[in-house]
Each structure stands twice: as C-alpha cells, then as structure tokens.
Amino acid sequence: MNPAAEQLSLLATDESAHQPATDAVRLLLFNAQHASVERSRRQAEWIAGQEHADIAVLTEVSSTQGGDALVTALTERGYTTVIAPQPSTPDYRTVIACRTGDVRTVPSPVTVTPHRAPAARVTVGGHDIGVLGLYVPSRGPKAQRNVAKRAFQEAVTESLPRLLAAFPDMPVIVAGDLNVIERGHQPPHKVFGEWEYTFYDSFQAAALIDAFRHLHPDEVAHSWFGLTGNGFRFDHLFVSTPHADRVLACDYHQEAREAGLTDHAVMTLRLGLPSTPGEQGEAPAPGAD
C-alpha cells in the first residue's frame, strides 16, 4: 500500500490487535487541548484505534485530572510506555506514548520548562530513533505577553545542536505545536514577529528539515483555525536532514478536529528504515512498501 494512502485512511481498529511496524517509524502528533477526563478517555480511544500510530506525541496536555486520565487511558489501550513529565507548578506538558520496541527516557535538552519538551530513544525494528516533543507556550496574558514563549523558544533553539549530538548517526524527529508559522505562510498573519519566524528557521539551521514541506513544497495546509476561520500551520514535524530521503509520508488530517476531539489537525509521519539494523544503504523510494 502507498504509505501516504495508508496514513490517510486512519481507520479505527481493535488496539489489542495492533502490530507495530518494523520497517518504518509511524508517528502521530495530537494536540490534547487540555481536555476533561471524559474527553481525554475518548481521545485515547481514538488514538489507540489508529493502526498506523506506533508513537504518539501529545501536546497541550494538562497537569491535572484530565491529563492524568489521558496518560492512564493510553496505557490501558496498549501504549506500554508513556513519558509524561509532571511540572512542579500547574502548566501544560507534552507526552510521548509508544507501543513499539524498547523505549528509554532521556533528559530533555531544553532547560526552560522541560516538561513541555520530553525526549526519548525509541527502538523500531532494531533501529534507535531520537524523539523530542514540544509544546511552545502561547503569547500569554497582557502583563506577561510573549515572556514565556520567548524564553522557551530561545531554550529550544539553543538545545537543538545538543539534541542531535545525543543521537549520533540515527534519525531524530522533533514533533510539536510550535505556535509559530513559516515565512510565506498563506494566508499571511501580521501578528507574528521576526523573532518567531527566526525560531521556525532555527530548525533548518540545526540540520532538521520540515518533513511536510519536504514532501509538499507548495501545498497550503493548516492545523488550527481562528474564530474568523483563518488557518494557521502551527503543528510541525521535523526530521534530521541526513535522513530526509527516508520521509515517505507526512500529512495533516482534520477528522479528529471535525469530530470535536481536539481543535487542531492531527499530523502523521512515516519514516522508512533500513532493512537491516546498522545498514545505511539507499532510502526506499516514496510509495515503496
């Protein structure tokens, strides 16, 4: 099956029958929208039903009962390892949930509010993969406008070289809601400053490619919509540049948003792996199964 078509189907299945892939990293990015306990359980059920989601990165997870319910429900539904850092004071956090291979938590390279930036080494088909989840703060209240956002973005930018150094010679994936858009975004949004575009640019400067843009250089896509209906591409997936040719599929899906489970589109990524652990070889052609 064509990997892009495979991801677009996103059919619900019995999570107990889930079989993780061994030839590719299959990752899903989901904004939990600080859900209630009841909606968190429905979110976990939906996520577990996505056959092509061996790794799930969840942003905007609360540090209270709703977030705890989400973590518990994911574990109950087959995500055997759930990395869910708990902040020392109430704040949103990022969660990495895995149901494939060996998973080891590694210290976050981000020194500011690291509970928004957990990291893990995940083994898929005998290959180690580095994963960093990110949830960038929003602009904040008027009295503290952009203070937390700037501090976190600066810490992330400073951490990216250390992140890649921590996972030498292996694919690295950064997945998250960055609350910024790319240069040339359509439609344009004047609210964003140069410092925010510079943050987006910092991933490429650190040798990480925008996986969606790599496959879809001219496509207009949005992951969040304002009250007026204007779209924003806030959610992003980056892959270490040496492994760019292994990106087989990267797409946005609106089904969960339209069903009221979240206010963001879901992102999916399929990253091909060599057939033999330790083998580099040529990357499989997009569309190869």
Side-chain angles (χ1 to χ4, degrees):
M1 177 183 287
N2 181 289
E6 179 178 320
Q7 286 196 357
L8 280 169
S9 65
L10 288 173
L11 296 176
T13 61
D14 178 2
E15 63 267 18
S16 64
H18 177 79
Q19 295 296 322
T22 58
D23 61 343
V25 180
R26 305 188 301 185
L27 184 146
L28 178 147
L29 174 62
F30 188 102
N31 182 292
Q33 196 192 2
H34 53 88
S36 65
V37 170
E38 189 276 332
R39 187 157 62 103
S40 292
R41 290 172 179 154
R42 289 193 288 116
Q43 289 174 341
E45 179 180 13
W46 188 90
I47 292 167
Q50 308 316 305
E51 178 60 22
H52 309 296
D54 301 325
I55 303 169
V57 176
L58 300 99
T59 60
E60 201 175 339
V61 179
S62 75
S63 57
T64 55
Q65 289 182 331
D68 293 342
L70 179 59
V71 170
T72 299
L74 285 168
T75 303
E76 293 172 346
R77 292 185 173 277
Y79 281 88
T80 54
T81 302
V82 181
I83 299 168
Q86 188 69 34
S88 56
T89 58
D91 191 18
Y92 296 122
R93 51 184 167 156
T94 303
V95 168
I96 300 174
C98 303
R99 54 181 177 182
T100 178
D102 182 43
V103 183
R104 286 151 285 173
T105 303
V106 301
S108 174
V110 181
T111 57
V112 173
T113 54
H115 52 271
R116 288 175 174 260
R121 183 185 295 247
V122 183
T123 303
V124 179
H127 299 273
D128 283 343
I129 310 297
V131 177
L132 176 71
L134 293 176
Y135 179 49
V136 174
S138 60
R139 295 183 176 277
K142 186 175 181 180
Q144 292 288 313
R145 184 73 72 197
N146 290 325
V147 173
K149 186 174 186 179
R150 276 182 179 269
F152 186 79
Q153 287 184 178
E154 290 170 359
V156 170
T157 298
E158 192 270 336
S159 77
L160 292 177
R162 292 199 308 275
L163 172 71
L164 294 173
F167 301 106
D169 304 319
M170 69 182 73
V172 174
I173 299 169
V174 180
D177 175 359
L178 303 190
N179 271 314
V180 298
I181 58 175
E182 63 195 319
R183 296 181 189 275
H185 184 281
Q186 295 299 320
H189 296 291
K190 294 181 180 180
V191 68
F192 294 96
E194 177 62 26
W195 60 279
E196 290 166 297
Y197 293 116
T198 298
F199 174 60
Y200 171 86
D201 294 342
S202 70
F203 290 88
Q204 181 176 354
L208 289 153
I209 60 106
D210 180 329
F212 178 80
R213 274 286 161 254
H214 178 69
L215 294 183
H216 311 284
D218 301 314
E219 184 174 332
V220 175
H222 304 130
S223 64
W224 185 82
F225 297 85
L227 295 176
T228 61
N230 287 332
F232 298 75
R233 195 167 79 92
F234 278 157
D235 299 83
H236 300 275
L237 284 163
F238 296 92
V239 172
S240 44
T241 301
H243 305 94
D245 289 345
R246 293 195 173 276
V247 177
L248 303 178
C250 185
D251 296 283
Y252 293 91
H253 309 277
Q254 305 293 339
E255 294 90 341
R257 182 183 67 83
E258 292 168 350
L261 288 173
T262 173
D263 62 344
H264 283 241
V266 171
M267 282 197 82
T268 54
L269 171 73
R270 184 178 174 95
L271 180 73
L273 295 170
S275 58
T276 303
E279 175 189 346
Q280 296 302 313
E282 293 186 359
D289 197 342

